[in-house]
Amino acid sequence: MTTTDTLPGRVLVIEDEADLQEAIVTYLNMEGFVADGVSSLKMATQWLRTHQFDVLVLDLGLPDGDGLKWLSECVQLRDKGVIITTARGEGNQRIEGIRAGADVYLVKPIQLEELSSLVSNLLRRTRSNASPRWTLSRMNWTLQSPSGVGFKLTHSESVLMHKMAHHAGQAVSRQDLVLSLGHDPAVYDFRRMEILVRRLRNKAKDTLGSDLPIETVHRIGYAFTAPITIV
C-alpha cells in the first residue's frame, strides 16, 4: 500500500542567498526529502500554484517583500510546518515570527543536521494532523472519497488517476499522462485527454455530489490536489 504518509516529505526552501539555498536543498534531498528552492516571494507564490508541500523553510531577508507578512497571509501555509531562518535574532522578532505562523525560528548561521531533524519532526506532526484522504484501488478500479462513497473507474480512468495519485499535489504534464495511457504524445489527439478528464469529473459529481479535486494547470496538465492513498 502506498500512502502520502510513506512518500518523501516535500520541502520548499525560500532563500535568496544562492549558495545557502543550494546547500540546504542539496542536504535535505540527500536526507531523503524532496526539496525545492526559490529565491523570492514571487517565485514561491508561483511554485505553490502547481505544487503541494509539507514543510516550508523561509528566510525573512528577501528582496521583494516582508516574509512575515507573506507568511501570515498565504492560505496554502495553513496546517503546514514552517521554519524561519534569518539573521534577525531579537526576542520581539522571534515572537512576531511565531505569531505569523512559524513553528521554529532559527538564527543564522544554521546547522544543516539540526534543520533536517526539525523538518522530520514537523513532517510527523503535519501528517498526523492530516485531513481525511481519498482512496484509489488498483485491484478493483475504484476511487473512494474521504466520506467513504466510491465509484468504479474505467481502465483509462484508473491509469490516469494512478499517475496523478503518485504525484498528488503536483502538476503532471499532459505528455506524461499520455505516455502512462500507452500512447505516443507526438500523434495523440489531446482533446481525448480533455474528454477523459471531463468524464471523470462528471462521474464523481453525479456519484458524490461534489467536485473531484483535479485541477487543470494551464499549459502544463493536471494535478490531484487532495491527500490520497493507493491500495
Side-chain angles (χ1 to χ4, degrees):
M1 179 174 67
T2 302
T3 73
T4 51
D5 289 338
T6 60
L7 294 174
R10 183 119 201 187
V11 184
L12 174 61
V13 179
I14 309 177
E15 169 61 62
D16 67 327
E17 189 178 333
D19 290 345
L20 180 56
Q21 180 195 124
E22 182 180 1
I24 293 174
V25 169
T26 299
Y27 188 85
L28 291 177
N29 282 320
M30 289 175 58
E31 289 289 290
F33 303 104
V34 178
D36 291 285
V38 296
S39 57
S40 68
L41 297 176
K42 180 180 179 180
M43 292 175 66
T45 301
Q46 293 173 340
W47 188 92
L48 289 173
R49 290 173 183 163
T50 55
H51 297 80
Q52 287 281 4
F53 73 103
D54 301 293
V55 177
L56 173 72
V57 178
L58 172 65
D59 173 39
L60 296 184
L62 296 165
D64 62 341
D66 183 346
L68 287 181
K69 185 173 184 294
W70 180 83
L71 177 62
S72 63
E73 294 176 351
C74 189
V75 296
Q76 292 100 322
L77 301 180
R78 295 172 185 171
D79 301 322
K80 307 297 184 182
V82 178
I83 300 173
I84 286 179
T85 63
T86 179
R88 308 174 190 175
E90 292 80 2
N92 63 323
Q93 291 173 332
R94 287 173 177 264
I95 294 172
E96 289 176 5
I98 300 301
R99 286 176 176 171
D103 298 281
V104 181
Y105 196 109
L106 294 179
V107 178
K108 295 178 179 177
I110 62 174
Q111 298 295 321
L112 295 180
E113 185 176 358
E114 178 186 12
L115 178 63
S116 176
S117 296
L118 290 169
V119 170
S120 294
N121 291 341
L122 290 175
L123 184 62
R124 284 193 293 270
R125 189 210 71 189
T126 57
R127 286 183 169 174
S128 66
N129 295 333
S131 59
R133 62 188 69 239
W134 293 73
T135 303
L136 175 64
S137 173
R138 292 176 291 187
M139 182 67 68
N140 299 322
W141 293 6
T142 59
L143 180 64
Q144 182 176 294
S145 74
S147 65
V149 180
F151 57 92
K152 292 287 289 186
L153 301 171
T154 66
H155 176 262
S156 294
E157 291 168 348
S158 179
V159 171
L160 189 77
M161 277 301 311
H162 190 266
K163 184 68 174 180
M164 288 190 290
H166 263 295
H167 301 276
Q170 303 176 44
V172 183
S173 71
R174 291 178 177 85
Q175 289 78 7
D176 285 345
L177 291 171
V178 169
L179 288 171
S180 71
L181 291 168
H183 300 293
D184 181 357
V187 296
Y188 183 82
D189 184 351
F190 283 91
R191 287 175 296 184
R192 293 172 58 189
M193 174 74 64
E194 295 173 4
I195 293 171
L196 178 60
V197 172
R198 182 166 65 248
R199 187 176 64 197
L200 184 56
R201 285 169 169 162
N202 290 339
K203 184 183 293 187
K205 187 74 171 181
D206 293 342
T207 306
L208 308 175
S210 59
D211 293 330
L212 190 65
I214 294 179
E215 298 290 337
T216 301
V217 184
H218 183 56
R219 295 183 178 179
I220 299 177
Y222 299 94
F224 193 85
T225 59
I228 186 167
T229 299
I230 303 171
V231 298

